[in-house]
């Protein structure tokens, strides 16, 4: 299997993951009804909270938002992979030539180049994932329990 085929298969896997996340988003309204009925049956919710209000807070708090953020980060990382490799190799060649390289079979320091390319790409992706994750947790939705308390008026 060639590199391009493997790269295309990563997009297929990412697409399947995206479809699964989309299905989770679409299940939320019906699942919220089942959770509402169950919580009412167990007397965990008061009569103050209507089913529509519960559905709204359930979707806001229990949606697969973190998975959606991770999916978006994976898509951007996968799209940026060839550009990162190309950019690093162009920079590496420039620096190698400035250092007085002599053309030959091992001109660019091949093994060291591959290792440094790996480190660069992994570092760039990790920094990007850190930025996405920190953005998510800075703006994370409240918990369902705190939203229920707020609607019941116990937060005052």
């Amino acid at each position: 299997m060639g590199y391009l085929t493997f790269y295309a298969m990563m997009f297929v896997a990412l697409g399947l993951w995206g479809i699964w996340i989309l299905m989770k988003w679409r299940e939320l309204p019906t699942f919220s009804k089942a959770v509402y009925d169950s919580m009412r049956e167990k007397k965990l919710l008061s009569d103050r909270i209507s089913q529509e209000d519960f559905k709204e807070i359930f979707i806001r708090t229990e949606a697969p938002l973190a998975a959606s953020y991770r999916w978006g980060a994976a898509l951007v990382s996968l799209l940026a992979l060839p550009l990162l490799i190309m950019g690093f190799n162009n920079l590496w060649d420039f620096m190698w030539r400035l250092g007085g390289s002599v053309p030959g079979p091992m001109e660019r320091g091949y093994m060291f180049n591959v290792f440094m390319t790996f480190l660069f790409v992994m570092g760039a992706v990790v920094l990007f994932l850190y930025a996405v994750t920190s953005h998510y947790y800075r703006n994370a939705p409240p918990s369902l329990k705190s939203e229920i308390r707020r609607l019941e008026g116990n937060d005052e």
Side-chain angles (χ1 to χ4, degrees):
M1 177 166 55
Y3 293 120
L4 191 56
T5 305
F6 184 70
Y7 187 64
M9 294 303 286
M10 287 191 286
F11 278 105
V12 169
L14 193 64
L16 292 173
W17 183 27
I19 290 169
W20 181 80
I21 292 171
L22 182 63
M23 295 307 294
K24 292 298 176 189
W25 275 99
R26 294 189 70 199
E27 291 173 359
L28 276 174
T30 55
F31 188 59
S32 71
K33 182 183 180 329
V35 171
Y36 177 78
D37 293 340
S38 173
M39 289 181 82
R40 288 299 300 254
E41 183 180 298
K42 294 177 183 177
K43 308 246 188 277
L44 296 173
L45 283 177
S46 70
D47 294 334
R48 292 181 185 177
I49 300 176
S50 70
Q51 189 168 352
E52 277 304 309
D53 289 341
F54 184 80
K55 178 180 165 185
E56 180 185 322
I57 65 166
F58 186 81
I59 290 172
R60 183 174 47 228
T61 60
E62 299 298 319
L65 193 58
S68 299
Y69 269 76
R70 286 190 296 269
W71 184 85
L75 178 64
V76 169
S77 297
L78 191 56
L79 289 171
L81 183 64
L83 298 173
L84 287 171
I85 292 171
M86 183 184 67
F88 181 78
N89 282 332
N90 285 338
L91 180 65
W92 182 269
D93 284 343
F94 177 72
M95 298 303 283
W96 193 261
R97 298 213 190 296
L98 282 181
S101 68
V102 177
M106 300 297 267
E107 177 190 355
R108 295 183 341 173
Y110 183 71
M111 291 303 288
F112 191 57
N113 175 299
V114 169
F115 178 68
M116 293 305 289
T117 302
F118 171 76
L119 287 181
F120 172 76
V121 169
M122 290 305 293
V125 170
V126 165
L127 284 174
F128 176 65
L129 291 176
Y130 172 77
V132 169
T133 303
S134 65
H135 174 76
Y136 170 76
Y137 282 108
R138 272 194 312 270
N139 304 305
S143 70
L144 181 61
K145 188 176 183 178
S146 68
E147 286 294 294
I148 289 171
R149 282 186 190 147
R150 185 184 60 78
L151 282 179
E152 288 180 341
N154 294 345
D155 248 4
E156 299 164 1

